[in-house]
Amino acid sequence: MRCRNGSLVTILCVTAFFSLSWYTAWYRDKDYGMDTYEKQFLELQQRLFHAEKENQKRSRDLSTVLDEIKRAVAEKRNAFENHTVEEIKWKVLNMTSKLPMQFSNMYMFLPHLLGHEDSLQPNVLYGHGRTGVSVVIGIPTVKRDKQSYLLDTLRSLFSEMSPKEKEDCVVIVFIAELSAQYVNDIANVIKESFPHEIQSGVLEIISPSPLYYPDFSNIKETFGDSKERVRWRTKQNLDYSFLMLYAQPKGTYYLQLEDDIVAKPQFFQPLKDFAMQQATDDWLILEFSQLGFIGKLFKCKDLIFVAEFFLMFYKDKPIDWLLDHYLWVKVCNPEKDAKHCDRQKSNLRIRYRPSLFQHIGTHSSLVGKIQNLKDKDFDKKVLYKPHNNPSAKLSTSLKVYQQYNLQKAYLGEECFWSFSPVAGDYILFEFDNALQLEGYLFRSGNIEHPGDKLFNATVQILPLEKVNSVPQGSQIDEDGFIQIGKFVNGIAEGEIGSSFGKIKAIRIKILKESPVWALLSEIFIKQKK
């Protein structure tokens, strides 16, 4: 019989062994019922032996369990102490495959989601998962106390889009409410009102998980706002972030709208063109409305970082303030003054005029709030069209009228207006560095002054290097400028072939005296990307 040392069972086992041996010897000596008692003692000995074996097995199992607990605790401690969210995801939470959005820091900013990874899964009520479009339009909507403008907003958008434009777009309505009954009712109303858009996939309807939002009961009141207003703006920040992250992989650009706006006729193509015509990729926001968070266009590839910033401070400030702070962090120098900061931010935040979207809602989604916000630029007549032109030195022989100078026109801030030109007058654009150009567009006259056009004028370029051959019909001036186009009915538009190489300058040359003033309402020099 084998017993383990150092345990109670061992002591009992040894005692029993010697007791059994003594009694067995005694009964043998006495020859008194030896067979019966010996059999009983042997059975007891076997039971004690099996009890010892079972004790050994349980001891080994307990040791293994303790080792596993120690390993798991150490693993969690190391992961959190090192702040490596990727390790937390892979080793502890093991939820990477369940994340619908490529955003690794979500759990740092929203710790209440730990252990509830399904709360990041949007509830897609209607949608075909369309991706690869140029523009993704996000519209968050909530239950309003007085009046809903959502259907009017959707009608305005879809009625101003052509079938081809709808194929290059996806509109996402995010019903940011937790009541399943309300969400389903609104989704069904939208489906009944826009069956073709739902069927084609241009319109998607989603809602959040009930676990997505944190507890708002202990929210801190700031900036003199009531608890209800702070809760409203905090939830709004979370709504924008969720919508952005869902939209991020679907397209090239993301347009943020509200559920109470109206769109300008044929808004889609100008919006898309303005984004694609930016000379560089350095911009962060293109603004198609001056109000709040309406009509703000982002590159989809930037949405991860924008949403991350919003989520870091979602409890602190309203969304439009956070957006301005994000720009400040990106480019402002604390050692410079506010004017310098504004100039730096203007390179990231580019305004389009006139506005393409107008706010129509009177009753805010915040109960009791009345807002009569109107974009003053929305109804303005289009007197000039802005473009992001390459840096250049500007000069002209024309006599400029009042403040309508060439510099403002080139920057898209105003039209260029001059007294009547004569033969030999010019408008010159000399680039800081020779550029590879794709084309040009010069439009004269506008809706208020349709007769002030350029008629007898040509467009010329000055290549960096000598050109051996020019297109048929083109002329070369003594100073090296080559004619590549002319004004027809007040407009000069054309391409610049790659055979010309890099271009040092573009010139508009007046051939004959004009009886009318000259007004340039659009200047667009398209640089090759």
Side-chain angles (χ1 to χ4, degrees):
M1 179 176 179
R2 292 176 296 174
C3 296
R4 291 181 59 186
N5 295 328
S7 69
L8 178 61
V9 175
T10 301
I11 296 171
L12 291 173
C13 186
V14 172
T15 303
F17 178 80
F18 284 106
S19 297
L20 286 170
S21 300
W22 185 84
Y23 274 108
T24 301
W26 185 81
Y27 278 114
R28 280 176 179 170
D29 292 342
K30 296 295 184 179
D31 193 21
Y32 179 76
M34 181 186 68
D35 293 338
T36 301
Y37 287 106
E38 186 178 55
K39 184 178 180 180
Q40 292 176 349
F41 290 148
L42 289 173
E43 288 176 354
L44 178 59
Q45 185 180 15
Q46 285 295 321
R47 285 196 295 269
L48 289 171
F49 176 76
H50 287 302
E52 173 65 13
K53 296 292 289 185
E54 186 66 23
N55 177 65
Q56 292 176 7
K57 181 178 181 298
R58 291 183 179 179
S59 179
R60 288 195 299 270
D61 292 344
L62 179 59
S63 178
T64 301
V65 170
L66 289 173
D67 289 340
E68 286 295 319
I69 292 174
K70 291 178 181 178
R71 183 193 61 77
V73 170
E75 189 175 88
K76 277 192 176 184
R77 183 183 297 113
N78 291 336
F80 280 98
E81 286 177 352
N82 293 331
H83 299 287
T84 54
V85 178
E86 286 299 320
E87 289 183 10
I88 296 172
K89 274 172 36 182
W90 282 93
K91 297 181 180 179
V92 181
L93 300 176
N94 193 25
M95 62 179 64
T96 305
S97 61
K98 298 182 180 180
L99 284 174
M101 299 172 275
Q102 301 299 318
F103 188 62
S104 61
N105 290 338
M106 178 74 80
Y107 301 101
M108 295 180 65
F109 309 131
L110 303 175
H112 68 280
L113 297 181
L114 285 169
H116 302 287
E117 62 271 20
D118 289 341
S119 62
L120 295 179
Q121 292 282 0
N123 178 26
V124 181
L125 294 101
Y126 296 106
H128 297 306
R130 178 183 286 189
T131 59
V133 299
S134 292
V135 181
V136 184
I137 300 176
I139 305 176
T141 185
V142 296
K143 186 177 181 179
R144 292 178 182 264
D145 186 46
K146 295 287 186 180
Q147 180 180 358
S148 174
Y149 309 91
L150 176 60
L151 296 182
D152 292 334
T153 295
L154 293 174
R155 289 190 190 99
S156 175
L157 291 175
F158 290 131
S159 65
E160 297 301 338
M161 296 169 65
S162 68
K164 186 177 180 181
E165 289 170 344
K166 289 181 181 179
E167 293 176 0
D168 196 26
C169 171
V170 59
V171 177
I172 304 168
V173 175
F174 177 48
I175 307 176
E177 294 289 349
L178 298 182
S179 169
Q181 183 65 51
Y182 177 81
V183 169
N184 290 329
D185 289 346
I186 295 299
N188 289 331
V189 169
I190 297 173
K191 180 186 176 184
E192 292 171 2
S193 302
F194 304 95
H196 176 72
E197 284 74 15
I198 291 288
Q199 185 63 33
S200 66
V202 67
L203 178 59
E204 293 188 10
I205 306 173
I206 66 172
S207 66
S209 160
L211 297 175
Y212 173 62
Y213 300 107
D215 181 9
F216 293 118
S217 61
N218 297 321
I219 199 163
K220 183 180 179 181
E221 297 176 27
T222 56
F223 304 110
D225 289 341
S226 65
K227 179 167 289 190
E228 182 58 29
R229 187 180 181 92
V230 174
R231 179 195 175 280
W232 171 75
R233 77 183 195 215
T234 299
K235 178 181 175 296
Q236 192 177 61
N237 290 341
L238 292 173
D239 292 341
Y240 285 123
S241 301
F242 189 97
L243 185 50
M244 283 182 168
L245 294 171
Y246 175 77
Q248 189 271 331
K250 287 181 170 289
T252 304
Y253 303 109
Y254 174 75
L255 176 67
Q256 182 67 62
L257 293 180
E258 296 288 357
D259 63 352
D260 55 353
I261 62 96
V262 63
K264 216 170 186 66
Q266 301 176 347
F267 74 93
F268 188 86
Q269 196 59 45
L271 180 145
K272 181 179 172 181
D273 289 345
F274 189 68
M276 298 180 66
Q277 290 168 1
Q278 298 305 308
T280 71
D281 198 41
D282 296 336
W283 62 273
L284 182 70
I285 311 163
L286 301 181
E287 294 189 299
F288 295 91
S289 171
Q290 66 174 347
L291 298 177
F293 210 46
I294 296 173
K296 304 299 183 280
L297 188 82
F298 302 84
K299 296 185 287 289
C300 281
K301 65 181 182 180
D302 291 338
L303 290 180
I304 293 290
F305 309 105
V306 175
E308 181 177 11
F309 189 86
F310 289 165
L311 288 173
M312 268 194 284
F313 305 103
Y314 76 94
K315 292 183 284 188
D316 300 314
K317 291 186 177 181
I319 193 74
D320 49 342
W321 292 12
L322 292 181
L323 187 60
D324 187 71
H325 290 329
Y326 184 67
L327 298 177
W328 193 98
V329 170
K330 295 280 283 186
V331 296
C332 289
N333 186 339
E335 298 178 356
K336 303 288 185 178
D337 59 17
K339 289 184 178 180
H340 179 270
C341 180
D342 289 340
R343 286 195 299 269
Q344 294 299 109
K345 288 191 293 186
S346 67
N347 295 324
L348 301 185
R349 190 173 194 161
I350 302 172
R351 182 85 165 84
Y352 177 92
R353 290 185 175 86
S355 298
L356 297 182
F357 306 99
Q358 178 64 286
H359 179 257
I360 60 173
T362 302
H363 300 282
S364 170
S365 56
L366 176 61
V367 177
K369 181 184 177 183
I370 302 297
Q371 50 185 16
N372 294 308
L373 299 176
K374 295 297 178 184
D375 191 329
K376 296 179 180 179
D377 285 341
F378 183 76
D379 293 324
K380 284 186 177 180
K381 295 178 181 179
V382 183
L383 302 181
Y384 57 90
K385 186 173 182 179
H387 290 286
N388 216 23
N389 291 306
S391 180
K393 178 183 177 183
L394 313 176
S395 59
T396 180
S397 61
L398 293 168
K399 185 178 180 181
V400 179
Y401 175 67
Q402 293 185 358
Q403 78 274 15
Y404 302 99
N405 60 59
L406 188 58
Q407 283 75 17
K408 290 183 178 179
Y410 194 71
L411 294 174
E413 298 174 354
E414 186 58 88
C415 58
F416 169 71
W417 207 5
S418 71
F419 293 96
S420 301
V422 298
D425 276 334
Y426 66 87
I427 301 173
L428 180 63
F429 311 91
E430 298 179 275
F431 306 117
D432 295 344
N433 297 297
L435 303 172
Q436 193 78 42
L437 302 178
E438 287 188 1
Y440 61 90
L441 170 62
F442 300 105
R443 189 185 305 274
S444 59
N446 62 20
I447 192 170
E448 289 188 351
H449 303 280
D452 290 356
K453 297 180 179 179
L454 288 171
F455 295 101
N456 299 302
T458 61
V459 177
Q460 302 173 315
I461 58 172
L462 180 62
L464 177 62
E465 299 178 355
K466 183 178 180 181
V467 177
N468 296 324
S469 61
V470 297
Q472 187 176 0
S474 296
Q475 297 180 2
I476 303 179
D477 284 5
E478 294 181 356
D479 54 6
F481 277 87
I482 304 172
Q483 178 185 329
I484 58 171
K486 60 181 180 179
F487 280 79
V488 178
N489 195 26
I491 299 174
E493 183 176 14
E495 297 179 351
I496 300 176
S498 58
S499 60
F500 290 110
K502 291 187 175 182
I503 307 301
K504 294 169 60 178
I506 291 183
R507 183 170 68 186
I508 297 174
K509 184 177 180 180
I510 310 300
L511 302 180
K512 294 182 181 179
E513 183 177 353
S514 175
V516 297
W517 288 16
L519 184 151
L520 278 178
S521 57
E522 185 173 1
I523 301 174
F524 180 30
I525 298 174
K526 191 173 183 181
Q527 185 176 351
K528 190 172 183 179
K529 293 184 179 180

